Amino acid sequence: MQDQGAVKEYIAKYKLEDELSNAVNLAIKENSEDPYLVIANYMKSLSTTDEDYDDDNDDIMEEGEDEMPKLQARGRRDQVMAAKVEIPEGWTPPVHPKSEASKEFLLGVMSTNKLMMMLAPSDRDQLMAALEAVTFESGATIIKQGDPGDNFYIVEDGQCDISVNGVGSVMKATKGLAFGELALLHNAPRAATVTTESTVSAWKLDMLSFKAILMGKAQQDHSDYLGFLNEVPLLKPVSEDEKKTLALALKEEVCSAGKAVICEGDEGNFFYLIRDGEVKCTKIGQKDEVSRRLKRGDFFGELALKSADKRAATVTCVEKTTLLKLDRATYNRMIGSLADAADYSLTGH
């Protein structure tokens, strides 16, 4: 048996779980009728292998085609994938009022849920706003095994029993547990029954809202990201298609006022674009700021990614700031060579 430690190390090294989650969420945002193609293209964009390698393999497969056993179709499209979501004309995202405590609770649950944890913080904010409070009396059946899926639930108070036909009770759902997320992805029948064992307060989200919110926001994000990338001088030689691929690799990070995004003397691991907010740049021993304030559309951190030099300045958020970042490996693979050729830096960090 393969060493489990080595397997985990391999998965972590190539960020396989994170990238697969990103690919799945991209397919959801695009509301694709062929999510497998979207996922495949995304994963292929991360490859560093020469494309000619694939062509060679195709030739080999064709030569041995008659010897290849035919795989029986599993009918996963008919059984699993939902029809493409059609958003009704005039539809607007639902917004349900919540206390600050409820917002904090829901965002905390969503940040650890496997389906939602890889979404950008602003994605989760919009989905959180759409969650609707519901109450169930003791003994109520929230979902029934075999029924079509319709809603995703988060338990805030009370307890539910989760059972499977022929097996019985398999676990209890208490505060903070989410269930039913598969209903947001496809039309597969419910895999278990969830019954309340007390009065239960919960939050629910339907598939239409989930997909429509992500689709609409994805279009705005795509426009924003390409707009930012088009303003970066060192990316001027990059084609539009390459910029679209680069945009897929951008990760959103929300920083509070006063947070130091990078610190003078630290190793540089990320290149940053500012989506919203404002940052200042300072150096040890200098009273005044070393550049103008950086705002929406500005960028910093590229020089540390081109070489082994340490960060030359500290960049601190003046207000709540949303950043788009690229890690060192992605940066070097996608735009490192362009940065080496360009004698340009906005701030010299």
Side-chain angles (χ1 to χ4, degrees), residues 3 5 48 69 79 95 100 105 107 112 116-117 137 160 185 221 226 229 243 246-247 268 283 299:
D3 179 63
T48 57
Q79 298 175 18
V95 176
E100 289 303 315
F105 163 71
L107 289 175
T112 59
M116 298 184 177
M117 65 188 299
E137 297 299 325
C160 302
L185 301 178
D221 287 349
L226 287 180
L229 295 176
K243 285 177 183 174
L246 183 60
K283 287 179 68 69
F299 66 95

Side-chain angles (χ1 to χ4, degrees), residues 44-291:
K44 186 175 181 180
S45 73
L46 303 175
S47 174
T48 57
T49 302
D50 193 323
E51 290 187 1
D52 290 341
Y53 175 82
D54 292 333
D55 295 337
D56 292 342
N57 275 351
D58 289 343
D59 293 340
I60 293 172
M61 289 297 292
E62 288 174 6
E63 291 172 5
E65 194 171 34
D66 292 338
E67 299 176 8
M68 291 292 291
K70 292 185 178 180
L71 298 178
Q72 183 177 358
R74 293 181 293 174
R76 61 184 175 185
R77 288 176 185 267
D78 294 335
Q79 298 175 18
V80 177
M81 294 310 300
K84 186 173 182 178
V85 173
E86 297 295 337
I87 302 175
E89 185 177 352
W91 184 90
T92 57
V95 176
H96 299 287
K98 299 170 181 68
S99 67
E100 289 303 315
S102 290
K103 291 178 181 179
E104 183 178 352
F105 163 71
L106 292 171
L107 289 175
V109 174
M110 295 168 72
S111 69
T112 59
N113 179 266
K114 287 186 176 181
L115 174 62
M116 298 184 177
M117 65 188 299
M118 295 309 299
L119 294 174
S122 56
D123 290 337
R124 293 199 294 267
D125 284 342
Q126 288 200 13
L127 291 173
M128 182 272 293
L131 284 161
E132 179 183 4
V134 290
T135 301
F136 299 94
E137 297 299 325
S138 179
T141 299
I142 300 178
I143 63 176
K144 183 179 180 182
Q145 184 172 345
D147 285 355
D150 51 2
N151 293 309
F152 162 75
Y153 297 92
I154 296 175
V155 178
E156 182 166 25
D157 189 43
Q159 179 170 295
C160 302
D161 177 69
I162 301 178
S163 62
V164 176
N165 293 344
V167 178
S169 178
V170 294
M171 68 177 296
K172 303 297 182 182
T174 55
K175 183 174 183 176
L177 190 137
F179 57 88
E181 53 263 73
L182 290 184
L184 301 179
L185 301 178
H186 53 69
N187 286 337
R190 295 292 197 184
T193 295
V194 179
T195 307
T196 60
E197 295 186 328
S198 65
T199 299
V200 169
S201 299
W203 299 88
K204 73 173 183 178
L205 179 69
D206 65 277
M207 181 174 66
L208 174 62
S209 296
F210 175 75
K211 289 192 173 183
I213 287 171
L214 289 188
M215 285 162 53
K217 187 171 181 301
Q219 293 174 355
Q220 183 60 54
D221 287 349
H222 184 71
S223 176
D224 281 354
Y225 291 7
L226 287 180
F228 295 146
L229 295 176
N230 284 330
E231 294 302 315
V232 179
L234 64 84
L235 297 181
K236 292 298 183 184
V238 179
S239 71
E240 192 70 12
D241 285 343
E242 289 171 330
K243 285 177 183 174
K244 289 179 180 178
T245 299
L246 183 60
L248 294 177
L250 293 172
K251 310 294 184 185
E252 187 180 276
E253 179 180 353
V254 178
C255 301
S256 58
K259 179 178 179 179
V261 182
I262 62 176
C263 296
E264 182 178 351
D266 286 353
E267 180 181 353
N269 293 312
F270 292 96
F271 163 62
Y272 296 90
L273 289 153
I274 301 176
R275 182 172 191 178
D276 290 299
E278 181 177 333
V279 302
K280 64 180 181 180
C281 308
T282 58
K283 287 179 68 69
I284 297 173
Q286 295 189 26
K287 182 178 180 181
D288 296 328
E289 296 175 20
V290 297
S291 77

